[in-house]
């Protein structure tokens, strides 16, 4: 057994409280190296005749990635404390692994050898709002969804959809337009909307805030926004806003004051200014988002700034009853700020959802004291590389996804924000080179994956566009120009996700087949008694697929066609068309 590959660390994604009484324990070993793993565990204070009392439980393999196997077990320690180690076996050898190293025999004379989960304190358990688990999000870029009130059009507004967007063009999307199309969203089946910023700002994307307490007049007024939120709630749709707290806009009054008064400004410590007078070119002499001089970084360590931003965060919840905050550039803001942010918003609405925009591994923000979720771009990249770009084959895709799932605790995965694209990425149909069948497979994978999916406006009707600003075209409302077949596909997937718990975020995903020749994957999602089997043929060739042995004798329901049949013949072969798929519910 390769000792160097064996890894565990408590109070991390390898050992965490799943709920108020259950601990999840994971172990990593070299791929295909270890045959069996047992958890050796006990309460640290239970001894008999000078020997620490332990029990042993077999762990199961929960998945593999490129290099490693992962092992898993759940434990309910009666006194909420646990000391533990691992007993590993291959064909010939046995090895004990503890916090202090490797042994031939399990040490019994001192619990100090062992890994330690000192106490399961309920207040520290990661808890995201329950409703998020049943949410299908829809992302709206307000400037481009629908123009419902032309009187609000900013100067130079182009007529809807008349041109490709540029970094500075306006098409006049507004709240009234969204209100007029809420029934479209209900018909699609989504039940959460994520709005990119809506506060007063000069650009079309509104990430350069002038005033965090005002709605941008091009979208409407506070009354109209309130009406929009209330209507959404009536229709069972939650509302999430974008909090751009890493930086303000250039025309934010405190920054203007610093520009004007320099070192004498009472706001000089609201930003990170390296020297006076301020200069924006060639590169700003103050911290900014990227090198964008129009986006000066806010000093969130300054108590005045903190108070101001926390007042903003609570104001929109208190006055407008919004349900979530998406935090822009979340990983560049200090952790302490986010801890206080969480306390402040949860104090007034305990089930508000906090979603960080982080494109990378995000464990430090997901320990229960900061965010409920992050935008799961590692998932996005995996899906794009396999389905859209063909950069990886089936087995490597399964490795990527398994790795993503093992990077976080399961309770974090259950509310992860899984997107295929956003206003910051090229549209999926464009990345798929216009191949709609690939897009359909991607939607199937996304909507059957653990976590909460988010659909970027227009992807469901086959809109196209490259990198920003190309991906921000006006929503197409002429039904003849919408891909209604794709719409029906997404609608049906959402409805299946709502009907079957195992289909949605509660099911545990296991890859049961990956084949690099045919490039197909098969996986199951299981929740309690319910198992659903998915087969995705990610290839331009037909696939002859044989039902796996363990399904012999089971009653299967094809959830796409509603056909039912008993898998009782010796071999059941099915032919999948190029980019075809199968969804079977397996009856007990
Ligand atoms: C404009 C241009 C872009 C140009 C950018 C930087 O349009 O082509 O790249 O300037 O000079 C908003 C607007 C953008 C605008 C930007 C600056 O929506 O259109 O871009 O302001 O004016 C990183 C950050 C992540 C950030 C992305 C864009 O980590 O936080 O970059 N995303 C948020 C929002 C954006 C928003 C801003 C931040 C600023 O979602 O819409 O931009 O408020 C890798 C890296 C990531 C990187 C990602 C994308 O994977 O690992 O860290 O994200 O690529 O570049």
């Amino acid at each position: 057994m390769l000792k160097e590959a064996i890894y565990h660390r408590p109070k991390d994604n390898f050992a965490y409280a799943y709920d108020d009484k259950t601990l999840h324990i994971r172990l990593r070993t070299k791929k295909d190296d270890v045959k069996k793993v047992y958890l050796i565990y006990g309460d640290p204070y239970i001894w008999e005749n000078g020997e620490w009392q332990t029990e042993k439980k077999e762990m199961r393999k929960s998945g593999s990635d490129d290099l490693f196997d992962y092992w898993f077990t759940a434990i309910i320690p009666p006194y909420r404390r646990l000391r533990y180690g691992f007993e590993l076996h291959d064909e010939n050898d046995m090895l004990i692994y503890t916090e202090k190293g490797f042994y031939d025999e399990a040490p019994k004379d001192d619990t100090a050898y062992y890994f330690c989960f000192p106490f399961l304190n309920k207040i520290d358990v990661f808890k995201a709002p329950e409703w998020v688990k049943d949410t299908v999000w829809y992302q709206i870029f307000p400037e481009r969804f629908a123009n419902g009130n032309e009187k609000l059009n900013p100067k130079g507004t182009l007529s809807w959809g008349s041109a490709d967007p540029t970094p500075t063009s306006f098409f006049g999307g507004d709240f009234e337009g969204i209100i007029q199309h809420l029934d479209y969203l209900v018909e699609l089946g989504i039940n959460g909307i994520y709005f990119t910023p809506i506060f007063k700002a000069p650009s079309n994307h509104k990430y350069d805030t002038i005033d965090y307490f005002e709605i941008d007049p091009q979208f409407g007024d506070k009354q109209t926004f309130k009406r929009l939120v209330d209507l959404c709630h009536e229709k069972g749709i939650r509302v999430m806003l974008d909090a751009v707290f890493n930086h303000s806009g250039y025309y934010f009054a405190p920054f203007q004051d610093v520009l004007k008064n320099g070192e004498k400004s009472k706001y000089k410590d609201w930003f990170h200014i390296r020297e006076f007078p301020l200069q924006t070119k060639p590169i700003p002499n103050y911290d900014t988002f990227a090198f964008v001089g129009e986006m000066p970084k806010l000093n969130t360590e300054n108590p005045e700034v903190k108070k101001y931003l926390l007042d903003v965060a609570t104001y929109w919840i208190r006055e407008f009853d919004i349900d979530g905050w998406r935090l822009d550039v979340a990983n560049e803001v200090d952790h302490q700020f986010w801890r206080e942010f969480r306390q402040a918003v949860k104090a007034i609405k305990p089930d508000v959802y906090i979603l960080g925009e982080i494109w990378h591994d995000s464990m430090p923000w997901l320990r229960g004291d900061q965010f409920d979720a992050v935008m799961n771009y590692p998932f996005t990249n995996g899906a794009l590389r396999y389905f859209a770009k063909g950069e990886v084959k089936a087995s490597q895709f399964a490795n990527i996804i398994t790795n993503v799932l093992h990077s976080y605790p399961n309770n974090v995965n259950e509310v992860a924000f899984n997107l295929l694209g956003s206003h910051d990425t090229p549209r999926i149909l464009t990345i798929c080179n216009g191949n709609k069948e690939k897009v359909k497979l991607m939607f199937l994978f996304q909507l059957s994956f653990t976590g909460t999916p988010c659909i970027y406006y227009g992807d469901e009707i086959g809109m196209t566009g490259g990198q920003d600003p190309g991906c921000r075209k006006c929503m197409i409302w002429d039904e003849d120009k919408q891909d209604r077949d794709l719409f029906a596909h997404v609608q049906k997937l959402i409805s299946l996700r709502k009907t079957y718990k195992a289909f949605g975020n509660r099911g545990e995903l296991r890859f049961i087949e990956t084949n690099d020749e045919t490039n197909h994957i098969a996986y199951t999602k299981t929740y309690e008694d319910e198992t659903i089997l998915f087969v995705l043929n990610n290839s331009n060739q037909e696939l002859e697929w044989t039902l796996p042995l363990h399904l012999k004798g089971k009653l299967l329901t094809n959830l796409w066609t509603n056909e039912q049949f008993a898998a009782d013949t010796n071999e059941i072969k099915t032919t999948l068309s190029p980019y075809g798929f199968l969804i079977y519910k397996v009856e007990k």
Side-chain angles (χ1 to χ4, degrees):
M1 285 176 272
L2 186 74
K3 287 180 182 165
E4 290 88 334
I6 299 172
Y7 181 75
H8 176 84
R9 189 169 204 188
K11 293 222 161 196
D12 213 336
N13 48 324
F14 282 87
Y16 56 88
Y18 177 70
D19 56 29
D20 287 353
K21 50 185 201 304
T22 317
L23 293 181
H24 281 181
I25 312 279
R26 290 179 180 150
L27 177 75
R28 191 192 80 181
T29 59
K30 179 181 181 268
K31 191 166 182 153
D32 296 330
D33 186 36
V34 172
K35 291 278 161 304
K36 254 183 201 284
V37 178
Y38 295 92
L39 184 77
I40 308 170
Y41 63 99
D43 185 284
Y45 303 105
I46 300 182
W47 290 72
E48 260 172 43
N49 305 325
E51 252 196 24
W52 179 46
Q53 299 301 296
T54 57
E55 291 178 64
K56 213 162 116 169
K57 185 177 181 196
E58 188 169 350
M59 298 179 76
R60 68 177 168 80
K61 203 189 274 186
S62 53
S64 310
D65 60 19
D66 262 354
L67 302 174
F68 304 110
D69 287 339
Y70 297 92
W71 304 82
F72 172 89
T73 198
I75 290 280
I76 299 184
Y79 303 102
R80 295 197 268 157
R81 313 174 284 227
L82 204 74
R83 290 291 147 90
Y84 59 98
F86 303 91
E87 183 183 306
L88 297 90
H89 294 257
D90 66 6
E91 265 104 17
N92 312 312
D93 294 320
M94 189 274 274
L95 197 63
I96 302 290
Y97 170 52
T98 72
E99 188 178 272
K100 303 287 184 287
F102 294 96
Y103 300 89
D104 294 334
E105 247 178 71
K108 288 278 188 182
D109 55 335
D110 192 347
T111 55
Y113 288 103
Y114 289 84
F115 288 108
C116 175
F117 201 102
F119 203 88
L120 198 167
N121 290 296
K122 289 182 188 168
I123 197 168
D124 293 333
V125 179
F126 173 92
K127 273 193 204 85
E130 269 306 300
W131 60 265
V132 179
K133 297 184 180 167
D134 299 308
T135 303
V136 177
W137 293 100
Y138 190 84
Q139 181 187 344
I140 289 182
F141 189 86
E143 222 286 309
R144 302 292 151 74
F145 192 62
N147 187 339
N149 181 355
E150 302 209 329
K151 290 199 205 98
L152 304 178
N153 286 358
K155 227 173 103 209
T157 294
L158 302 169
S159 71
W160 197 253
S162 61
D164 280 345
T166 70
T168 52
S169 53
F170 288 90
F171 293 91
D174 53 32
F175 293 152
E176 203 57 57
I178 298 166
I179 289 171
Q180 287 164 11
H181 289 99
L182 280 180
D183 287 339
Y184 168 86
L185 300 177
V186 172
E187 191 196 342
L188 180 61
I190 63 95
N191 54 0
I193 303 178
Y194 151 42
F195 292 100
T196 57
I198 59 168
F199 306 143
K200 191 163 186 226
S203 64
N204 53 28
H205 52 69
K206 312 285 171 211
Y207 280 98
D208 46 352
T209 321
I210 296 177
D211 189 336
Y212 291 84
F213 285 102
E214 290 300 329
I215 300 276
D216 193 280
Q218 86 157 94
F219 295 151
D221 55 16
K222 286 185 175 170
Q223 247 178 335
T224 320
F225 179 61
K226 181 78 181 120
R227 189 152 58 87
L228 170 59
V229 177
D230 291 347
L231 278 168
C232 283
H233 286 170
E234 270 170 38
K235 294 174 190 294
I237 297 173
R238 310 266 177 164
V239 173
M240 175 159 65
L241 294 186
D242 210 319
V244 191
F245 290 176
N246 172 67
H247 49 267
S248 73
Y250 190 80
Y251 296 101
F252 181 51
F255 190 68
Q256 285 294 310
D257 195 87
V258 183
L259 280 172
K260 192 165 146 226
N261 298 314
E263 245 167 318
K264 294 205 184 74
S265 167
K266 64 175 179 173
Y267 295 106
K268 75 176 166 51
D269 295 327
W270 277 47
F271 305 92
H272 297 268
I273 291 160
R274 289 192 287 275
E275 58 190 0
F276 291 94
L278 296 194
Q279 68 174 41
T280 48
K281 287 194 166 68
I283 57 163
N285 60 357
Y286 48 92
D287 292 344
T288 51
F289 167 70
F291 289 108
V292 183
E294 293 74 32
M295 294 180 165
K297 182 169 168 65
L298 286 160
N299 178 7
T300 43
E301 292 177 28
N302 176 339
E304 287 173 26
V305 175
K306 199 180 292 193
K307 179 173 182 318
Y308 174 82
L309 294 175
L310 296 185
D311 283 349
V312 171
T314 49
Y315 172 78
W316 293 96
I317 300 174
R318 213 178 329 103
E319 303 294 325
F320 296 87
D321 199 21
I322 63 156
D323 307 289
W325 277 116
R326 177 267 193 193
L327 314 170
D328 190 55
V329 203
N331 54 350
E332 295 187 26
V333 175
D334 60 279
H335 290 279
Q336 184 55 27
F337 177 82
W338 291 133
R339 287 190 193 101
E340 292 179 38
F341 174 90
R342 184 179 183 90
Q343 302 267 340
V345 296
K346 298 266 177 181
I348 56 167
K349 189 163 183 174
D351 70 347
V352 73
Y353 180 53
I354 305 174
L355 169 69
E357 189 223 4
I358 302 185
W359 294 54
H360 297 260
D361 183 18
S362 307
M363 198 54 223
W365 291 268
L366 294 167
R367 294 183 202 279
D369 57 343
Q370 293 165 66
F371 305 162
D372 294 318
V374 292
M375 296 177 89
N376 198 354
Y377 279 107
F379 160 88
T380 317
N381 290 336
L384 290 175
R385 294 185 71 198
Y386 173 58
F387 293 108
K389 302 179 185 167
E391 287 174 358
V392 298
K393 292 280 188 190
S395 62
Q396 207 186 335
F397 173 63
N399 288 345
I400 294 170
I401 293 300
T402 305
N403 185 277
V404 170
L405 287 172
H406 285 82
S407 303
Y408 301 117
N410 286 352
N411 41 5
V412 170
N413 289 329
E414 286 164 9
V415 288
F417 189 88
N418 300 324
L419 64 168
L420 296 174
S422 70
H423 65 300
D424 288 336
T425 60
R427 287 207 179 253
I428 47 177
L429 183 57
T430 298
I431 305 177
C432 288
N433 257 328
N435 185 334
K436 182 172 105 181
E437 301 311 312
K438 289 188 182 181
V439 173
K440 283 187 171 176
L441 281 188
M442 284 178 83
F443 272 125
L444 168 55
F445 189 75
Q446 180 200 27
L447 285 157
S448 63
F449 193 60
T450 310
T452 65
C454 182
I455 295 161
Y456 181 52
Y457 82 95
D459 277 353
E460 76 284 6
I461 48 154
M463 280 176 58
T464 56
Q467 189 65 46
D468 133 43
C471 56
R472 302 173 180 180
K473 288 184 198 165
C474 294
M475 176 71 179
I476 298 171
W477 289 112
D478 177 352
E479 284 208 8
D480 294 339
K481 297 198 171 121
Q482 295 181 337
D483 188 331
R484 295 304 295 179
D485 169 64
L486 188 55
F487 179 92
H489 175 84
V490 177
Q491 186 187 40
K492 188 160 175 177
L493 288 170
I494 294 176
S495 124
L496 286 172
R497 186 177 169 95
K498 284 187 182 159
T499 311
Y500 300 101
K501 285 211 155 97
F503 201 111
N505 88 320
R506 286 175 172 79
E508 187 188 338
L509 182 139
R510 305 204 78 179
F511 287 97
I512 57 166
E513 252 179 59
T514 59
N515 186 319
D516 291 350
E517 295 281 300
T518 56
N519 207 25
H520 79 273
I521 54 172
Y523 55 95
T524 52
K525 293 282 304 295
T526 305
Y527 178 71
E528 294 180 345
D529 288 352
E530 197 173 86
T531 294
I532 301 179
L533 168 72
F534 300 82
V535 187
L536 277 61
N537 179 24
N538 185 24
S539 147
N540 59 6
Q541 305 291 311
E542 278 190 348
L543 168 73
E544 183 151 290
W545 186 74
T546 312
L547 208 69
L549 270 178
H550 70 276
L551 295 180
K552 294 277 156 65
K554 305 268 184 188
L555 183 68
L556 302 180
T557 308
N558 182 327
L559 293 183
W560 208 250
T561 61
N562 285 327
E563 283 167 296
Q564 263 200 346
F565 64 96
D568 50 9
T569 48
N570 281 340
E571 219 178 301
I572 292 201
K573 283 198 191 317
T574 316
T575 304
L576 278 79
S577 54
Y579 303 107
F581 58 86
L582 282 175
I583 309 173
Y584 285 150
K585 181 164 180 284
V586 183
E587 307 294 338
K588 277 186 74 179

